[in-house]
Amino acid sequence: MSKPLEFWFEFASTYSYPAAMQVEAACAAHGVPLIWRPFLLGPVFGAQGMTDSPFNMFPVKGAYMWRDMARICAASDLPFHKPTTFPRGSMLAARICAANANAEWIGDFIRAVYSANFAEDLDVGAPEVIGPVLEALGQDAGSIIDNAATPESKQALRDLTEDAIARGIFGAPSFTVGEELYWGHDRMEMALKHAAAGD
Amino acid sequence: MSKPLEFWFEFASTYSYPAAMQVEAACAAHGVPLIWRPFLLGPVFGAQGMTDSPFNMFPVKGAYMWRDMARICAASDLPFHKPTTFPRGSMLAARICAANANAEWIGDFIRAVYSANFAEDLDVGAPEVIGPVLEALGQDAGSIIDNAATPESKQALRDLTEDAIARGIFGAPSFTVGEELYWGHDRMEMALKHAAAGD
């Protein structure tokens, strides 16, 4: 009996991009239910005493990450264009996800936002980018974006971020299966096997 | 025509342990020549402004790493015992490697030191631990340990560490194939495929 896989992602996070593009199909292939868990890395890094992305704080590691991202995306046939701004604002898209967790279009929305940031080099922090993404999915962009600014939507995302910290999450993407935590795109397969085995 | 794989490792580094135990057999299986590259992480971290292992500076990440190490070692049938001291002194073992890079016993020595640290929980910084490791390999421990303290041996290790920094290495284990850098135990397979393809 398989267990659900919780996928913890941050729209600004580079390695979350290939994971987000692949995780729904990978879960389906393993017969594992997927639960999308958007959160914000800013408060998570802040809780560790960091004030910026570690890739900006440690430029040598950052330079490697961009090369590694290009390799990983090439190996997975994913288009990749290094964003001209990093990290990009992720609050709006994350609030939309938090407020629409069970919408049937949420997976397509998540993938479209990642593509906009990491393949099309668009400013996904802006409603002018997120609006057309929603419209292309046949959704009412205006009401969804307005709803993302309600106290309930803001609180939903804060709750997810606090839950992430409480679970010992320190980076993105992360995967949880019950109490077990897996960090990084390269742990997706291990997490899926655990979820599929269900033990 | 395959290219050589350079394996950059630090005896105190946790993820270097499974990589060091597996890399020689993996290279042989791929028909790839292996070059051992010991170096010290201290100066590498210092060049990035860090004063301790990131796993000690960021305890939430450190807690995850120990759990992840246990999982990885279990999956590879490698014994693992969390060292009671971390990080352990690696200078002596690294100088011995730098001074005996082409000795036929060097691979066995490297694996034995990692086992002492991460499976037997021994203080590999101490000559009292390294001496018996060398003797078990049929080597003259006294003269090898004395030789590790010569200016030539010290300089050989300094040169390797400076070379690591010059190549953009920021952590261990790392792998290089020509100019291409791969970081982390979980990139070993990708690095091996590159080396085997030789392009």
Side-chain angles (χ1 to χ4, degrees):
Chain A
M1 180 69 191
S2 66
K3 285 184 176 177
L5 180 82
E6 296 176 84
F7 173 59
W8 297 83
F9 61 101
E10 145 74 83
F11 281 105
S13 149
T14 51
Y15 287 109
S16 293
Y17 165 50
M21 301 305 278
Q22 297 163 341
V23 68
E24 193 161 31
C27 280
H30 284 75
V32 166
L34 168 64
I35 304 173
W36 298 102
R37 294 287 193 217
F39 74 109
L40 294 182
L41 271 177
V44 173
F45 288 156
Q48 299 171 60
M50 289 190 282
T51 53
D52 192 359
S53 163
F55 297 130
N56 287 340
M57 290 178 72
F58 305 109
V60 177
K61 190 170 184 173
Y64 170 80
M65 177 275 291
W66 292 115
R67 173 66 191 135
D68 193 44
M69 273 291 291
R71 283 193 308 231
I72 286 177
C73 292
S76 299
D77 286 323
L78 282 173
F80 175 68
H81 183 295
K82 182 182 169 184
T84 46
T85 302
F86 175 80
R88 282 217 165 95
S90 50
M91 184 89 81
L92 173 59
R95 283 179 179 164
I96 289 173
C97 286
N100 298 275
N102 300 313
E104 50 84 25
W105 48 268
I106 201 69
D108 288 332
F109 172 74
I110 291 164
R111 287 183 289 270
V113 174
Y114 276 106
S115 290
N117 192 2
F118 293 104
E120 298 160 57
D121 192 23
L122 296 173
D123 179 9
V124 294
E128 294 75 18
V129 169
I130 296 299
V133 165
L134 288 164
E135 284 159 14
L137 298 172
Q139 302 307 310
D140 180 345
S143 73
I144 289 172
I145 290 175
D146 285 350
N147 176 258
T150 61
E152 292 74 19
S153 297
K154 293 178 180 178
Q155 190 59 44
L157 182 58
R158 272 196 293 268
D159 289 348
L160 282 159
T161 301
E162 281 170 24
D163 192 14
I165 293 171
R167 287 165 180 246
I169 288 173
F170 55 88
S174 291
F175 308 86
T176 53
V177 180
E179 298 291 304
E180 194 80 5
L181 170 64
Y182 300 87
W183 171 56
H185 171 243
D186 36 32
R187 289 291 181 279
M188 186 162 71
E189 194 63 26
M190 193 185 276
L192 276 166
K193 283 182 184 165
H194 178 184
D199 54 7
Chain B
M1 181 70 191
S2 65
K3 285 184 175 177
L5 180 83
E6 295 175 86
F7 174 60
W8 298 83
F9 61 101
E10 145 73 84
F11 281 105
S13 149
T14 52
Y15 287 109
S16 293
Y17 166 50
M21 301 305 279
Q22 297 163 342
V23 68
E24 194 161 31
C27 280
H30 284 76
V32 166
L34 168 65
I35 304 174
W36 299 101
R37 295 286 193 218
F39 73 110
L40 294 182
L41 271 177
V44 173
F45 288 156
Q48 299 171 58
M50 288 190 282
T51 53
D52 193 359
S53 163
F55 296 130
N56 287 340
M57 290 178 72
F58 305 110
V60 177
K61 190 170 184 173
Y64 170 80
M65 177 275 291
W66 292 115
R67 173 66 191 136
D68 193 45
M69 273 291 291
R71 283 193 308 232
I72 286 177
C73 291
S76 300
D77 286 324
L78 281 174
F80 175 68
H81 183 295
K82 182 182 169 182
T84 46
T85 302
F86 175 80
R88 283 215 165 96
S90 50
M91 185 90 82
L92 174 58
R95 283 178 178 164
I96 289 173
C97 286
N100 297 276
N102 299 313
E104 51 84 24
W105 49 268
I106 202 70
D108 288 332
F109 172 74
I110 291 165
R111 287 183 289 271
V113 174
Y114 275 106
S115 290
N117 193 2
F118 292 105
E120 298 160 56
D121 192 22
L122 297 174
D123 179 9
V124 294
E128 293 75 17
V129 169
I130 296 298
V133 164
L134 288 164
E135 284 159 13
L137 298 172
Q139 302 307 310
D140 180 345
S143 72
I144 290 171
I145 290 174
D146 286 349
N147 175 258
T150 60
E152 292 74 19
S153 297
K154 293 178 180 179
Q155 190 59 45
L157 182 57
R158 273 195 294 267
D159 288 348
L160 281 159
T161 300
E162 281 170 25
D163 193 14
I165 293 171
R167 287 164 180 247
I169 288 173
F170 55 88
S174 290
F175 308 87
T176 52
V177 180
E179 298 291 303
E180 194 80 4
L181 171 63
Y182 300 87
W183 172 56
H185 170 244
D186 36 33
R187 288 292 180 279
M188 186 162 72
E189 194 63 27
M190 194 186 275
L192 276 166
K193 282 182 183 165
H194 178 183
D199 53 7

